[in-house]
Amino acid sequence: GAGVSQSPSNKVTEKGKDVELRCDPISGHTALYWYRQSLGQGLEFLIYFQGNSAPDKSGLPSDRFSAERTGGSVSTLTIQRTQQEDSAVYLCASSNRQGASGNTIYFGEGSWLTVV
Amino acid sequence: GNSVTQMEGPVTLSEEAFLTINCTYTATGYPSLFWYVQYPGEGLQLLLKATKADDKGSNKGFEATYRKETTSFHLEKGSVQVSDSAVYFCALSSYYGNNRLAFGKGNQVVVIP
């Protein structure tokens, strides 16, 4: 597609439920990133994929968070047993080349998660 | 590790005023530096970037120069417009960090007519 696409754009869920957030990166982009944006915390890195593997998961805040990527394309971020502190905007981003730090990373519009 | 520090607090200024947002960084190796902008209700967009020392990034009247000696990448615009009201994030990436972006906390800029 033309840009990074995320769904759902908004999700309200009850505490304790599981949620899945989807990201469709720009076609051909091999690198994919998940970030979280919340008030007071700014933009936090969660996980990085190169192809289907995740060499850097260091930002996942707990074992309730997991992510996968299939076919070198679509990625799903799953949050199990959601808590109120998980409420945030979850941003997906992609980039077209590994090993070049000057590459532009393109962001989707985010999935706004509210846990009630 | 890699980190970015932006000046504290929102910035409020009048139309046609000069804007400066300070950004300093700490990084391993030779990072690339970026400014991203988030307009109200929209996603993050790249505003400009610089990939090596002394490079100047520019776009939409904004400029920032990569200063290795002061580890800074301050954003400037000579004459702001109401449409420049947004949140501005300074960021860096480096090969040693899997090229992931490390962001500053962002500055909200409000331009008053």
Side-chain angles (χ1 to χ4, degrees), chain A residues 100-103, chain B residues 30-34 50-52 66 91-94 101:
Chain A
S101 68
N103 280 344
Chain B
Y30 303 97
S32 293
L33 302 173
F34 305 80
T51 58
K52 61 183 188 297
Y66 188 148
L92 70 82
S93 72
S94 77
L101 288 165

Side-chain angles (χ1 to χ4, degrees), chain A residues 33 35 37 40-43 45 48 55-56 58 91 97-109, chain B residues 30-32 34 36 38 41-44 46 49 51 89 93-95 97-105:
Chain A
Y33 305 81
Y35 285 82
Q37 185 176 22
Q41 296 297 321
L43 281 150
F45 166 79
Y48 156 65
D56 188 351
S58 62
L91 295 169
R97 194 157 57 103
Q98 182 193 18
S101 68
N103 280 344
T104 297
I105 297 177
Y106 296 89
F107 283 81
E109 296 202 355
Chain B
Y30 303 97
S32 293
F34 305 80
Y36 278 81
Q38 190 171 35
E42 298 184 17
L44 276 169
L46 178 69
K49 70 179 184 182
T51 58
F89 293 91
S93 72
S94 77
Y95 176 76
N98 285 317
N99 299 325
R100 73 186 200 210
L101 288 165
F103 286 92
K105 293 203 177 288

Side-chain angles (χ1 to χ4, degrees), chain A residues 40-114:
Chain A
Q41 296 297 321
L43 281 150
E44 304 171 85
F45 166 79
L46 298 178
I47 187 169
Y48 156 65
F49 286 91
Q50 181 60 37
N52 290 336
S53 48
D56 188 351
K57 307 178 184 179
S58 62
L60 293 177
S62 76
D63 59 8
R64 296 186 296 105
F65 287 73
S66 62
E68 64 174 14
R69 188 179 185 195
T70 55
S73 181
V74 171
S75 176
T76 303
L77 177 69
T78 301
I79 310 172
Q80 295 179 308
R81 305 181 303 281
T82 52
Q83 304 294 314
Q84 288 184 328
E85 61 263 27
D86 299 335
S87 296
V89 180
Y90 290 83
L91 295 169
C92 179
S94 69
S95 174
N96 70 350
R97 194 157 57 103
Q98 182 193 18
S101 68
N103 280 344
T104 297
I105 297 177
Y106 296 89
F107 283 81
E109 296 202 355
S111 292
W112 192 298
L113 175 66
T114 304

